[in-house]
Amino acid sequence: MFLDIVIHISFVASIIFFFFSAAQLVHKEKPLSNYFLSVVFLSIGFQCISLWLYARDGHIFYRYFLYSDSAFMFLIGAFLYLFFLYMTTDRRISGKAVILHALPFFVSLILIEGLNLMYPDAGVKGDFVVFKHIITAAYLSLFIYIVLIFRLLLAFLRLKSSPEIKMLIFITACSIAFSFLLILSNTLWRELQFICDAAFVGISLLFIFFLIRYPHYLEKAQQESQEIRYRKSQIEKLNKQKIIEKLDYLIDEQRIYLDKSLTLEALGRKLGLSPSQLSELLNSHYHTGFNSFINSFRIEEVKLILNKRPEANILHTAFECGFNSKTTFNAAFRKFTGLTPSEYKKQIFS
C-alpha cells in the first residue's frame, strides 16, 4: 500500500519538476543560474518518472531505456553544484567548465543506450556488471557534489543566517545522508532501495516547497555570502583611491571591457590585486559584482553603436563589444535597459 502511494507521488512529482524546469526557461531575465536549475529539475523529473515506469512494468522502457535514469543522476549533482557556485561566489563559470561537469552524463548515457539497443532483452541486461558500476559511480558523484555544496553553504553558519539559508542547509544535510544511502543500497544492502526511492521523492518535493516558500532566497544568499567574504577586509591597507583611478583608466581609456576573454583574475593582475581583493573592491565601492560591472560598460557600448549605426547587426555588435554568447548578452541587455535588444532598436528609431 505504502509502495503504491510512493509510486503515485513520484508520478505527480515528475510533472511538478518538468513544470519547474520549463518555468526556468521562460523567466524574464534568465540568468545563468536559471539554466543550471532547469537541467537539475529536468533530471530529477526524469528520475521520478522512471520510478513510476519501473513500477508499471513498461515493456518499451525496459527494452530501450533501462538504467538510463542513472545517467541523469550525474547531472543532478553537477548542475546543482554549478548553481550554488554561481550563487555564492564571484567565479566566472565558462562553457568549458559546464561541458566538463556534464561529460560523465554523456559518456554513461551513450554506453547505457548502446547496450540497451544491442541487448533489448531485460533479463540479459541484468547480468551486465557495467550497469552496476555506472549506477555506483552516479551515486558517488551525487554524494561528492552534495558534500561540495554543503561546504559552500557551511560558511553561512558563522552568521545569524536567514530562515531560507538555514532551510537550505537542512535540505543539503538530508541530501548528503540520502546520497550515502544510495551508495550503500547499490553496493551492500539492496533492501535499502525502496527507502532510498521514497527519500528521493520526499527530498525533491521538499526542495520544491523551499523554492515556493522562499522565492527571493538567491539575492539574500548572495548578500550573506558577500558579508562573510568581506567581514575581514582584504583591501583595508591598500591605496584604494589609486587602484580605483587605475581601474577607471583601464575602463575609460583602454576600454578593457571589449576583451571577450577578460576575467576577474586577469583584471586583478592588471591592478595588482588577487581575485578576492578585486571582488571586494567592486562590491564595496561600486556595489556590484565583476560580471555586472563589466557587462554594464559593454551594454553602453552596444547602445552607442546602435544609436550611431542603425543598420548594425545587433548580435555582431554584441560580440564586438566583448560578449561571447547571445544568451549572456540578451540577459545583460534586459537587466540594464529593461528591454530586449530588438525592442530597444525599434524604440530609438521609431
Side-chain angles (χ1 to χ4, degrees), residues 20 24 27 29 31 33-34 37 41 83 87 162-165 167-168 206-222:
F20 269 81
Q24 301 306 307
H27 190 276
E29 294 184 1
S33 57
N34 282 57
L37 273 185
F41 292 151
F83 167 75
M87 183 182 76
S162 56
E164 54 264 41
I165 298 302
M167 180 71 167
L168 198 54
L206 184 61
F207 191 56
I208 284 290
F209 166 78
F210 173 80
L211 292 175
I212 297 173
R213 177 67 178 83
Y214 303 115
H216 302 296
Y217 76 100
L218 175 60
E219 293 82 359
K220 292 183 179 180
Q222 287 174 326

Side-chain angles (χ1 to χ4, degrees), residues 33 37 42 45 55 58 61 77 93 110 114 131 158 193 196 206-207 218 220 231 242 252 278 309-310 329:
S33 57
L37 273 185
L42 179 66
F61 193 84
I93 301 175
I110 291 171
F131 284 125
R158 300 172 191 169
Q193 189 65 53
C196 291
L206 184 61
F207 191 56
L218 175 60
K220 292 183 179 180
R231 176 180 281 183
K242 185 176 180 180
D252 298 333
L278 176 55
R309 298 183 356 231
F329 166 63

Side-chain angles (χ1 to χ4, degrees), residues 310-323:
E311 74 285 356
N313 178 274
I314 294 176
L315 189 57
H316 181 70
T317 302
F319 291 152
E320 281 184 348
C321 295
F323 288 100

Side-chain angles (χ1 to χ4, degrees), residues 172-183:
T172 308
C174 291
S175 300
I176 290 175
F178 156 71
S179 56
F180 183 70
L181 284 176
L182 278 176
I183 297 173

Side-chain angles (χ1 to χ4, degrees), residues 184-344:
L184 291 180
S185 70
N186 191 59
T187 55
L188 298 175
W189 299 331
R190 297 295 297 178
E191 294 79 9
L192 284 173
Q193 189 65 53
F194 172 69
I195 297 175
C196 291
D197 290 338
F200 183 86
V201 175
I203 293 175
S204 300
L205 292 176
L206 184 61
F207 191 56
I208 284 290
F209 166 78
F210 173 80
L211 292 175
I212 297 173
R213 177 67 178 83
Y214 303 115
H216 302 296
Y217 76 100
L218 175 60
E219 293 82 359
K220 292 183 179 180
Q222 287 174 326
Q223 291 172 4
E224 291 197 15
S225 175
Q226 291 168 8
E227 185 179 343
I228 292 168
R229 291 200 299 272
Y230 307 140
R231 176 180 281 183
K232 293 182 179 180
S233 176
Q234 301 181 62
I235 61 173
E236 187 176 351
K237 297 181 182 180
L238 299 177
N239 188 337
K240 287 188 281 186
Q241 187 57 41
K242 185 176 180 180
I243 295 171
I244 290 169
E245 288 176 0
K246 186 175 181 180
L247 177 58
D248 290 341
Y249 171 78
L250 290 173
I251 293 295
D252 298 333
E253 301 299 327
Q254 293 194 5
R255 297 160 73 198
I256 195 172
Y257 52 85
L258 297 179
D259 181 4
K260 292 182 181 181
S261 61
L262 184 65
T263 62
L264 180 71
E265 292 79 6
L267 182 56
R269 285 194 296 270
K270 291 180 180 294
L271 296 171
L273 300 175
S274 68
S276 56
Q277 286 176 323
L278 176 55
S279 183
E280 181 180 349
L281 178 70
L282 293 175
N283 278 279
S284 61
H285 186 77
Y286 296 97
H287 307 291
T288 188
F290 171 76
N291 288 330
S292 292
F293 178 74
I294 295 299
N295 285 342
S296 65
F297 293 103
R298 289 171 174 167
I299 293 299
E300 288 303 315
E301 189 76 18
V302 170
K303 288 165 61 180
L304 184 65
I305 293 175
L306 292 179
N307 278 284
K308 287 183 177 180
R309 298 183 356 231
E311 74 285 356
N313 178 274
I314 294 176
L315 189 57
H316 181 70
T317 302
F319 291 152
E320 281 184 348
C321 295
F323 288 100
N324 53 21
S325 107
K326 180 180 179 181
T327 301
T328 304
F329 166 63
N330 287 336
F333 199 94
R334 183 181 284 275
K335 176 181 178 181
F336 291 108
T337 67
L339 301 168
T340 65
S342 299
E343 289 171 346
Y344 177 80

Side-chain angles (χ1 to χ4, degrees), residues 30-242:
K30 283 193 288 189
L32 190 60
S33 57
N34 282 57
Y35 291 99
F36 292 149
L37 273 185
S38 180
V39 173
V40 172
F41 292 151
L42 179 66
S43 301
I44 295 177
F46 193 84
Q47 292 289 323
C48 292
I49 198 67
S50 294
L51 175 61
W52 181 75
L53 288 170
Y54 280 148
R56 290 182 63 86
D57 194 25
H59 180 67
I60 295 178
F61 193 84
Y62 267 89
R63 287 177 65 85
Y64 301 110
F65 300 103
L66 191 63
Y67 300 114
S68 59
D69 55 315
S70 299
F72 283 87
M73 189 70 76
F74 284 106
L75 289 180
I76 296 174
F79 278 74
L80 202 57
Y81 172 70
L82 290 174
F83 167 75
F84 282 111
L85 190 66
Y86 178 88
M87 183 182 76
T88 60
T89 70
D90 290 324
R91 293 190 212 174
R92 180 181 176 183
I93 301 175
S94 65
K96 290 182 180 178
V98 174
I99 294 173
L100 186 63
H101 283 282
L103 191 59
F105 160 74
F106 291 112
V107 172
S108 60
L109 186 64
I110 291 171
L111 183 58
I112 289 170
E113 289 308 314
L115 289 173
N116 274 326
L117 291 173
M118 290 172 63
Y119 305 98
D121 180 48
V124 173
K125 285 184 284 192
D127 297 330
F128 291 142
V129 179
V130 66
F131 284 125
K132 185 175 181 179
H133 290 330
I134 290 175
I135 296 171
T136 302
Y139 291 163
L140 184 61
S141 169
L142 180 65
F143 176 76
I144 292 172
Y145 275 119
I146 293 177
V147 170
L148 291 175
I149 293 169
F150 188 75
R151 287 185 61 189
L152 288 174
L153 297 175
L154 197 59
F156 294 135
L157 290 176
R158 300 172 191 169
L159 296 177
K160 185 180 179 180
S161 300
S162 56
E164 54 264 41
I165 298 302
K166 291 179 180 178
M167 180 71 167
L168 198 54
I169 290 173
F170 170 73
I171 294 175
T172 308
C174 291
S175 300
I176 290 175
F178 156 71
S179 56
F180 183 70
L181 284 176
L182 278 176
I183 297 173
L184 291 180
S185 70
N186 191 59
T187 55
L188 298 175
W189 299 331
R190 297 295 297 178
E191 294 79 9
L192 284 173
Q193 189 65 53
F194 172 69
I195 297 175
C196 291
D197 290 338
F200 183 86
V201 175
I203 293 175
S204 300
L205 292 176
L206 184 61
F207 191 56
I208 284 290
F209 166 78
F210 173 80
L211 292 175
I212 297 173
R213 177 67 178 83
Y214 303 115
H216 302 296
Y217 76 100
L218 175 60
E219 293 82 359
K220 292 183 179 180
Q222 287 174 326
Q223 291 172 4
E224 291 197 15
S225 175
Q226 291 168 8
E227 185 179 343
I228 292 168
R229 291 200 299 272
Y230 307 140
R231 176 180 281 183
K232 293 182 179 180
S233 176
Q234 301 181 62
I235 61 173
E236 187 176 351
K237 297 181 182 180
L238 299 177
N239 188 337
K240 287 188 281 186
Q241 187 57 41
K242 185 176 180 180

